[in-house]
Amino acid sequence: NAGVTQTPKFQVLKTGQSMTLQCAQDMNHEYMSWYRQDPGMGLRLIHYSVGAGITDQGEVPNGYNVSRSTTEDFPLRLLSAAPSQTSVYFCASSYGGDQPQHFGDGTRLSIL
Amino acid sequence: GENVEQHPSTLSVQEGDSAVIKCTYSDSASNYFPWYKQELGKRPQLIIDIRSNVGEKKDQRIAVTLNKTAKHFSLHITETQPEDSAVYFCAARGLKAAGNKLTFGGGTRVLVKP
């Protein structure tokens, strides 16, 4: 099993550009989440999903969209990149809400 | 929503000593409390977790205690080793929250000095 796979690992964008961060898991987990981690800080939840076709907002959803058309994939879209979105983005998945989350290796995103 | 506070923000210990990190949470209905370790430039990895029906859990040199009345839980690392140096995050899942909505603490940077 590959676990949780995130692509790309690094990305530099210009202000106003859009892009999609990819996240895929091969563990048949229903629950998937996106977090951002700013330097020296904890993880803040952006969006999450409890199953295919179901998504909901976390604590910092503005400027991001998600969709969950399959159990395996949970892409995160930046609509119009802003410097404040420079961060490390982690995707995570788990069997259930009170089960251990498995994190991907992260995407380091810089917005100029 | 849930609010999780973590203390201290940094902790320096001598190799072989114990390290204790404390977290408090706000949602009295929270039922799941994981702890993650994150090494520099790496992803967070689960090291131990506890559910609200248990007061204490141990795994070799790591233990977690939960006090539901006081709404706090703690991570204890005994006989610390240099490889324990990392950032540790606590988290809590409120029962009112749907799905996998964990709230993380701000993290504790642990440095184990040889």
Side-chain angles (χ1 to χ4, degrees):
Chain A
N1 284 353
V4 179
T5 302
Q6 290 185 239
T7 56
K9 294 192 185 307
F10 303 93
Q11 184 70 48
V12 179
L13 293 177
K14 294 181 179 178
T15 298
Q17 287 185 313
S18 63
M19 82 159 292
T20 299
L21 308 186
Q22 301 291 345
C23 176
Q25 52 90 11
D26 61 359
M27 298 174 281
N28 202 32
H29 286 169
E30 289 293 330
Y31 291 68
M32 297 186 75
S33 305
W34 275 103
Y35 296 89
R36 62 176 287 174
Q37 185 175 36
D38 299 315
M41 295 182 67
L43 294 148
R44 291 186 291 169
L45 183 65
I46 304 171
H47 286 285
Y48 66 103
S49 169
V50 301
I54 306 169
T55 64
D56 206 346
Q57 295 180 350
E59 58 182 301
V60 288
N62 292 343
Y64 308 94
N65 274 356
V66 291
S67 60
R68 185 94 181 272
S69 55
T70 67
T71 299
E72 295 78 17
D73 300 299
F74 191 42
L76 177 73
R77 281 182 289 277
L78 277 72
L79 309 173
S80 177
S84 61
Q85 293 178 305
T86 294
S87 190
V88 179
Y89 291 84
F90 286 101
C91 178
S93 73
S94 69
Y95 280 116
D98 63 347
Q99 298 298 317
Q101 290 201 60
H102 299 259
F103 283 83
D105 287 333
T107 294
R108 283 151 183 80
L109 184 62
S110 293
I111 298 162
L112 307 177
Chain B
E2 177 77 274
N3 183 44
V4 177
E5 294 191 358
Q6 184 171 346
H7 299 280
S9 56
T10 59
L11 181 60
S12 183
V13 297
Q14 208 64 38
E15 182 178 357
D17 288 349
S18 295
V20 181
I21 304 170
K22 298 182 179 180
C23 289
T24 60
Y25 59 97
S26 60
D27 183 355
S28 59
S30 293
N31 67 345
Y32 176 61
F33 308 90
W35 285 88
Y36 288 85
K37 175 183 180 182
Q38 187 178 30
E39 297 176 352
L40 189 63
K42 300 287 182 65
R43 60 184 166 180
Q45 292 196 295
L46 182 80
I47 54 171
I48 196 167
D49 58 8
I50 192 168
R51 289 172 175 76
S52 56
N53 59 344
V54 176
E56 183 176 359
K57 185 177 179 180
K58 275 187 176 181
D59 183 3
Q60 299 182 337
R61 296 186 296 108
I62 293 172
V64 57
T65 58
L66 172 64
N67 183 327
K68 288 188 291 184
T69 303
K71 292 190 285 186
H72 69 69
F73 55 114
S74 300
L75 178 71
H76 305 252
I77 307 173
T78 59
E79 300 171 22
T80 53
Q81 301 167 3
E83 52 264 38
D84 294 329
S85 295
V87 179
Y88 293 80
F89 293 99
C90 64
R93 175 183 177 260
L95 201 59
K96 297 173 190 173
N100 207 8
K101 202 170 178 178
L102 285 180
T103 300
F104 283 81
T108 297
R109 184 173 302 275
V110 175
L111 175 63
V112 180
K113 294 179 288 186

